[in-house]
Amino acid sequence: MSLEIAEVHRYELAGKRVWVAGHRGMVGSAIMRRLKAISCDVLTAERDETDLTRQDAVATWLRDNRPDAVFLAAARVGGIHANNTLPARFLYENLMIEANVLHAAHEAGVEKLLFLGSSCIYPRGVEQPMHESSLLTGPLEPTNQWYAVAKIAGVKMCQAYRREYGCDFISVMPTNLYGPGDNFDPEFGHVPAALLRRFHEAKERGDTEVVVWGTGTPRREFMHVDDLADGCIFLMCRYSGEEPVNVGIGEDVTISEFAAMIAQIVGYEGQIVFDRTRPDGVPRKLLDVSRMEALGWTSKIALGDGLRRYYQWFQENRDALRF
Ligand code: GDP
């Protein structure tokens, strides 16, 4: 990446037709909230009308709606158990969505596209914090390799379409996320939602024990999705380059520390026990955010503040959540 080029890059969303693909998901809905501050025309496609895994449906939608800019936040996502047990769905659906949207965006003459990847694209055992340059330097973490392979293909597609067709497609690699719209399924969600719900319900029932998966020793970096959405808008408007850009808060915690933080925020005072029959996954995932900082953006929501906001949102929306 040439920072010189990035520094002079300017893309305005104001006055543009902006498609948020995946607008009902946690990331897409955060981008929708953030776009309210910009006077652009936000476009959405409903899942039951436009299945993004169908090439014809995606091409037709783009031809009919002609967005100028696209945030590609649509994806099949899930926690360590979901990734590990639904390998075909994670690989197939994510590959199809990326291939269909990126190719149709090129054909429809989209000016700018931001593709959302994931920090799990980086090899297991790579030097921490993980720099963008470590992509494809070693073997992947087995529990999320299906998702990672699909997301790596998305990054490569953005690069290929830049090189061959001159498309301004960029990739963003967010760290582990939490926030409004999260999946609170105890088996298939990510660790923040699973633990927030488990500790909350344990407190309500007066349970004396809460189970946390694995050994508690893996380290993860957690970012509030509103922080990511702000970073995505920043990159859409200020970055143009082939290299992916990491977005994170720059700090990590152990799962054991994270569970203790959630217990404290929820007000749960019982025991925390670790179920070692459950997988730990990758031992550490902390992103090197120096590229993003050099571009002029830093995270604004500290973990403790973000988790308190998260819990407040959970309590206010509990009745509307599907469980
Ligand atoms: P990962 O970052 O791709 O491994 O995804 P997750 O968010 O699913 O898991 C992060 C870490 O949290 C792993 O080490 C899990 O073992 C641990 N963990 C502890 N309790 C839970 C839980 O209830 N659900 C999930 N998904 N992970 C948990």
Side-chain angles (χ1 to χ4, degrees):
M1 180 196 69
S2 159
L3 284 179
E4 232 174 289
I5 290 174
E7 276 162 17
V8 299
H9 181 76
R10 288 281 183 278
Y11 182 76
E12 292 299 330
L13 286 171
K16 296 285 169 67
R17 293 169 64 74
V18 182
W19 179 27
V20 181
H23 68 287
R24 293 199 182 275
M26 178 168 69
V27 173
S29 54
I31 292 172
M32 296 283 287
R33 288 193 295 278
R34 179 64 183 73
L35 284 173
K36 284 191 181 142
I38 301 173
S39 57
C40 57
D41 190 3
V42 178
L43 313 176
T44 56
E46 291 304 332
R47 184 189 292 238
D48 50 358
E49 288 161 15
T50 310
D51 178 350
L52 299 183
T53 66
R54 307 279 315 181
Q55 185 183 22
D56 51 353
V58 175
T60 303
W61 191 90
L62 270 138
R63 261 199 313 272
D64 291 348
N65 291 277
R66 294 271 157 199
D68 301 304
V70 177
F71 288 92
L72 179 42
R76 172 172 283 270
V77 295
I80 192 165
H81 179 72
N83 256 283
N84 219 0
T85 53
L86 308 173
R89 273 173 262 193
F90 272 76
L91 196 47
Y92 173 77
E93 291 175 26
N94 287 310
L95 283 172
M96 295 304 280
I97 293 170
E98 293 156 17
N100 292 339
V101 173
L102 290 169
H103 186 72
H106 151 59
E107 289 200 318
V110 164
E111 293 170 354
K112 184 105 193 227
L113 181 145
L114 180 147
F115 168 68
L116 277 135
S118 160
S119 60
C120 72
I121 64 164
Y122 298 118
R124 181 190 165 90
V126 83
E127 194 187 324
Q128 304 281 328
M130 302 182 291
H131 192 262
E132 291 89 347
S133 59
S134 64
L135 184 62
L136 294 172
T137 56
L140 297 166
E141 156 61 29
T143 54
N144 57 27
Q145 58 180 313
W146 322 101
Y147 183 69
V149 164
K151 289 293 180 183
I152 292 169
V155 172
K156 289 289 157 195
M157 272 195 83
C158 289
Q159 293 177 347
Y161 278 67
R162 291 187 78 85
R163 286 195 192 181
E164 190 171 338
Y165 302 121
C167 297
D168 195 353
F169 294 174
I170 61 170
S171 305
V172 179
M173 299 307 118
T175 195
N176 284 37
L177 301 168
Y178 62 91
D182 219 337
N183 172 7
F184 289 90
D185 185 285
E187 280 293 311
F188 288 91
H190 286 101
V191 63
L195 293 191
L196 194 75
R197 176 176 174 187
R198 209 173 292 149
F199 280 111
H200 175 81
E201 290 179 349
K203 188 193 161 193
E204 274 186 338
R205 286 193 300 259
D207 292 353
T208 53
E209 214 175 83
V210 162
V211 174
V212 173
W213 297 357
T215 59
T217 58
R219 302 187 70 90
R220 294 287 184 276
E221 176 188 19
F222 296 102
M223 180 180 221
H224 194 284
V225 72
D226 287 346
D227 220 2
L228 171 72
D230 190 63
C232 287
I233 305 287
F234 174 87
L235 286 170
M236 179 66 106
C237 299
R238 294 285 174 271
Y239 177 70
S240 176
E242 193 176 289
E243 300 303 324
V245 183
N246 290 341
V247 182
I249 69 166
E251 285 169 21
D252 60 353
V253 289
T254 64
I255 293 300
S256 166
E257 289 164 345
F258 185 65
M261 284 180 87
I262 294 203
Q264 201 247 325
I265 285 165
V266 166
Y268 166 80
E269 290 173 348
Q271 297 289 308
I272 297 176
V273 295
F274 291 92
D275 177 358
R276 288 161 190 267
T277 65
R278 294 290 195 152
D280 267 344
V282 68
R284 192 172 185 201
K285 255 198 289 183
L286 174 65
L287 288 177
D288 180 330
V289 290
S290 54
R291 177 171 285 163
M292 187 65 168
E293 287 181 354
L295 288 165
W297 188 91
T298 45
S299 158
K300 287 159 201 74
I301 306 177
L303 182 57
D305 295 342
L307 289 178
R308 277 184 284 277
R309 272 165 67 165
Y310 186 41
Y311 187 46
Q312 192 180 342
W313 179 88
F314 174 85
Q315 288 174 298
E316 286 167 4
N317 292 276
R318 170 90 211 258
D319 294 343
L321 296 172
R322 278 170 280 129
F323 59 77

